[in-house]
Every structure is written in structure tokens, then in C-alpha cells.
Amino acid sequence: MVAFIFGWLTLEDNFGKIISATPQRVSVRFSLLHRDELLEKIGVCSEIAFTRYVFSGWKRGSDPQLRVSDSRLGRVPVRVYQPRAPPAGPRAGVTFFHGGGGVWGSGSARENCIYSDGVPFSYFCCLFLCARYRLAPEHKYPAAYEDCLNATIHFMKNAEHYGVDPANITVCGDSAGGNLAAAVSQTLAGRSDLPSLRAQVLIYPGLQALDFNLPSYYQNRGVPLLFREHAVFFMLHYLDGHALHMQEVLEGSHIPPDMRLKYRKWVSPDHIPPKFKVRGYKPHKPHEFKAEFFEKPERLGEPNLCPLLAEDAVVQQLPQSFILTCEYDVLRDDGLLYKKRLEDNGVPVTWYHLEDGFHGIISLYDYCGLSFPSGKRGLDSIVNFLKGL
């Protein structure tokens, strides 16, 4: 099904031509992606269960040049990717946190797609560990964050066991995994009992849950692979274990006025460069706060959930950073706002923006018959950053 949907996409001269259609047209073209919702409505299975099933079958074949094993970092299951060729010295190490909204994805599809020129970057620069963190709604926040943090700490303390230089460990994640990587990096910043992280790599990360009406959310609300409604759906399942109040979050009535004012210095369309607002953006006025629906809205200000809201004193201690954003992605502005925060606090940032990219394009590069040139460029930018550390 997915291969069919994207097969015709490769026939388009430019993905931007597709996105230039109205959100309604885009939604119709990709209506097959909502088959999981139909199955839930008729009682066959839940939307989350169906999506987990579909993506569990996306696997690459084995590669003779790469040793793949399953292990544990403390209590957290991980998949370890090691080049078979003996290293000249201690390798760099990467802990990778897969995407999937925090509700699906064991990493079997996503981690295998960190490839460039058909070769995983672990061949020539690192040992690669993908954490299999617990998923919502069975395990709500902060379960995934705690798993990723504990796995990273365990890895840092036992790096020599893997032949990795403890001073050359990077945290990396895409989408929801980018959120987790940012939160882990912040928690480890300034700790004296561990080596400092070498870098953080955030691939179209989701970093806040205060405003789902930023320009990118409005412009790309009907753009696959992540619709605006799905972004809220994932966040609510991760936080509450359900998505009963999606409409209230979409309209902005989930944040008290004082909290919105407090964080306006960091989360506001005013901080988005004007060139990103020209594509049909219409400012949104949040609805009145509906306290009866939200018992603890202050949790949305916790940096472990929303890393964009960390205090300057924490942000200033973060390692060298790489952020990849895509133009046709609801999460674009989360990345842009975090880039600004890092730069404002003196953290070196490498930013790579895919003008013709969409959410999930890195995981889809050269996978199941798909091929998007911008996905290749995005992968190359990540590889080049890691090689340059």
C-alpha cells in the first residue's frame, strides 16, 4: 500500500508541485494513509496497532560488512550496529532514538535507513546503537525519555566495552526521537560525573507542545507524512495515553494565558524568519483556556517533554549541534526556533534545510523502492557532519 502511494510521487518533477495543491487535494490524494482510522472505527483493530503492524514489516536484508546484534544498555533493549572491519583506534559512537510519534516504531525500519550512497555511516565513522524505548500509550511520558537517558548514560559509562571513545559519543534522533535526543542532551549538560557529549543531531524534531498553529503547522497541515492532527494525536498519547481533547489543543485552548505569555519569548511566530511565512500563512488567535479539560497544563512546560522551553543556563551548556528541517513539514518551525535558541546562547549549530523535503524523508530514502533526491542530500549532510566531528 505504502509503496503504491509513493510510487506515483517519484513520477512528479518536483515534490513542491504536489504541495502547491490545496491541503484538501493533498489529503484526498493520500486518503489511503487513513485506512488505519477506518479499521479502528469498524472495530477491527486500533489505529496504533495497525500502524505498528505495517511498519514492523519494513526491514532491510542482512549486510555482510555489518555486524548487527541485540543487547541491553541497563534495562533498555538496543540494537547494535558495528562495522566488521577492525578499527584503527577507538570509534565514535552514536545513540539513535527512532521516530514514530512515541507510539510506534521499534527502529527496525528507521535506524536501517541512516544510509548514504547505500552505505550506513557506521561503516566509516561510528558504532551505532538504536534504543528500543517503551512506547505510548501503554507507557506514557516520561517512560521513553527515561529509557533513552538511561541507555545513553549506560553507554557512556561502558563505552570502552564497545571500543568507543567515551569523549566522542553523539545523541541522534528523528522526529519524536529528535525530541528525546534534545531532552537527553539537556539532562546530561554540565554533568561532572560523565564525559561531555560530542554532539547532538536532531532530524526534523518535535520540540514543543504549546503552539500547533505556528506557520509550518498551518502551511503544512495537510501534507504527508505527518498531518497536523497526527502531531497532536501523538503528543496527547505520549502525555496522557489518549487523544480525547485533540480539538482543544488544535485551537490552542490547552495553555493558560500566563504560561503562554511566559514562553512567548521562545515560542512565537514572531521568531520565525519572514521568508518562511510567505506561503499562505494566516496568524491564529488562541481560543480561551479551557481549564476543565487539562488538569496539569504546567507539564507542557517541562523541558524533558518540550526541550524548546529549557532555560538559557541549560542551553548554554549544550554540545555542538546539527539540525535538519524540511520545508513541507509541520515540525519545521520547532527546528527553526530551537536553532535560534542555540545560536542566541552561543552553541555552534549546523543547520541543513531541505527546500523540497517533507517529514519522514530521511527514513524513506532508498527504501521499499522509494527514492527521493532530497532524502539523499539530507543523509549526506548528516554523514558529513558526523565525519567532521
Side-chain angles (χ1 to χ4, degrees), residues 216-272:
S216 63
Y217 281 98
Y218 181 84
Q219 294 164 330
N220 303 311
R221 60 194 184 278
V223 177
L225 294 173
L226 183 64
F227 299 108
R228 175 170 166 261
E229 289 82 359
H230 286 168
V232 175
F233 175 90
F234 291 140
M235 184 277 291
L236 287 173
H237 273 86
Y238 180 44
L239 181 62
D240 295 328
H242 60 77
L244 299 179
H245 305 303
M246 182 183 297
Q247 185 56 43
E248 288 79 13
V249 175
L250 288 170
E251 66 189 21
S253 59
H254 64 304
I255 302 296
D258 58 338
M259 186 175 177
R260 189 178 299 279
L261 182 62
K262 175 182 177 180
Y263 293 116
R264 185 174 177 81
K265 58 185 176 181
W266 297 327
V267 183
S268 169
D270 297 341
H271 306 313
I272 303 298

Side-chain angles (χ1 to χ4, degrees), residues 272-279 327 351 355:
I272 303 298
K275 68 177 182 178
F276 292 103
K277 301 178 185 178
V278 297
R279 187 164 49 87
E327 178 61 27
W351 173 54
E355 294 284 355

Side-chain angles (χ1 to χ4, degrees), residues 157-200:
K157 290 182 175 179
N158 298 275
E160 289 90 347
H161 172 75
Y162 295 94
V164 169
D165 178 0
N168 198 0
I169 293 176
T170 294
V171 292
C172 175
D174 72 308
S175 193
N179 172 289
L180 295 167
V184 166
S185 186
Q186 290 179 1
T187 302
L188 297 178
R191 282 188 55 161
S192 59
D193 60 326
L194 294 170
S196 298
L197 288 172
R198 182 66 184 88
Q200 61 174 345

Side-chain angles (χ1 to χ4, degrees), residues 12-150:
E12 297 282 353
D13 295 331
N14 188 301
F15 188 72
K17 293 180 181 178
I18 300 171
I19 305 305
S20 64
T22 64
Q24 290 76 19
R25 283 182 59 201
V26 174
S27 296
V28 169
R29 284 182 170 186
F30 286 84
S31 60
L32 286 177
L33 289 175
H34 291 285
R35 186 171 295 180
D36 49 357
E37 298 175 3
L38 174 61
L39 291 175
E40 179 166 349
K41 289 179 180 179
I42 63 177
V44 174
C45 65
S46 73
E47 180 176 352
I48 292 174
F50 177 79
T51 308
R52 287 177 180 173
Y53 173 77
V54 169
F55 282 93
S56 67
W58 286 24
K59 298 179 181 179
R60 285 186 180 273
S62 60
D63 192 304
Q65 299 182 69
L66 193 64
R67 181 182 297 112
V68 182
S69 61
D70 291 322
S71 183
R72 284 185 176 270
L73 292 178
R75 296 182 179 181
V76 183
V78 296
R79 179 154 290 179
V80 184
Y81 295 81
Q82 293 175 283
R84 292 187 181 274
R91 292 189 186 275
V94 172
T95 56
F96 179 76
F97 311 134
H98 63 80
V103 302
W104 57 266
S106 64
S108 59
R110 290 172 172 268
E111 75 218 28
N112 291 348
C113 293
I114 307 300
Y115 275 61
S116 183
D117 289 325
V119 179
F121 62 66
S122 53
Y123 280 1
F124 51 83
C125 71
C126 67
L127 176 142
F128 188 78
L129 299 100
C130 181
R132 304 294 186 85
Y133 55 82
R134 288 171 291 172
L135 299 174
E138 296 89 343
H139 305 281
K140 297 184 292 185
Y141 168 79
Y145 158 74
E146 290 175 343
D147 284 354
C148 293
L149 176 63
N150 292 333

Side-chain angles (χ1 to χ4, degrees), residues 180-380:
L180 295 167
V184 166
S185 186
Q186 290 179 1
T187 302
L188 297 178
R191 282 188 55 161
S192 59
D193 60 326
L194 294 170
S196 298
L197 288 172
R198 182 66 184 88
Q200 61 174 345
V201 174
L202 312 179
I203 306 169
Y204 32 73
L207 300 169
Q208 59 86 31
L210 269 65
D211 191 347
F212 291 92
N213 289 284
L214 293 169
S216 63
Y217 281 98
Y218 181 84
Q219 294 164 330
N220 303 311
R221 60 194 184 278
V223 177
L225 294 173
L226 183 64
F227 299 108
R228 175 170 166 261
E229 289 82 359
H230 286 168
V232 175
F233 175 90
F234 291 140
M235 184 277 291
L236 287 173
H237 273 86
Y238 180 44
L239 181 62
D240 295 328
H242 60 77
L244 299 179
H245 305 303
M246 182 183 297
Q247 185 56 43
E248 288 79 13
V249 175
L250 288 170
E251 66 189 21
S253 59
H254 64 304
I255 302 296
D258 58 338
M259 186 175 177
R260 189 178 299 279
L261 182 62
K262 175 182 177 180
Y263 293 116
R264 185 174 177 81
K265 58 185 176 181
W266 297 327
V267 183
S268 169
D270 297 341
H271 306 313
I272 303 298
K275 68 177 182 178
F276 292 103
K277 301 178 185 178
V278 297
R279 187 164 49 87
Y281 168 61
K282 295 180 180 179
H284 172 81
K285 183 178 180 180
H287 289 208
E288 183 179 354
F289 175 58
K290 297 180 180 179
E292 64 272 21
F293 293 124
F294 304 98
E295 295 181 3
K296 299 179 179 179
E298 64 274 6
R299 298 191 72 188
L300 296 177
E302 295 180 11
N304 293 341
L305 178 67
C306 298
L308 184 57
L309 307 183
E311 295 296 329
D312 287 344
V314 173
V315 177
Q316 291 166 4
Q317 300 182 71
L318 291 175
Q320 183 176 351
S321 303
F322 176 95
I323 298 177
L324 183 141
T325 55
C326 295
E327 178 61 27
Y328 302 104
D329 180 6
V330 292
L331 300 183
R332 181 198 70 197
D333 291 351
D334 284 28
L336 294 179
L337 292 172
Y338 202 50
K339 169 181 175 289
K340 183 180 187 304
R341 290 222 58 206
L342 292 168
E343 292 173 339
D344 288 348
N345 283 278
V347 178
V349 181
T350 299
W351 173 54
Y352 195 85
H353 183 64
L354 294 173
E355 294 284 355
D356 53 351
F358 56 93
H359 192 84
I361 196 169
I362 299 299
S363 297
L364 289 175
Y365 173 70
D366 194 27
Y367 201 75
C368 291
L370 307 180
S371 181
F372 294 97
S374 57
K376 171 65 163 57
R377 296 196 306 273
L379 284 171
D380 286 345

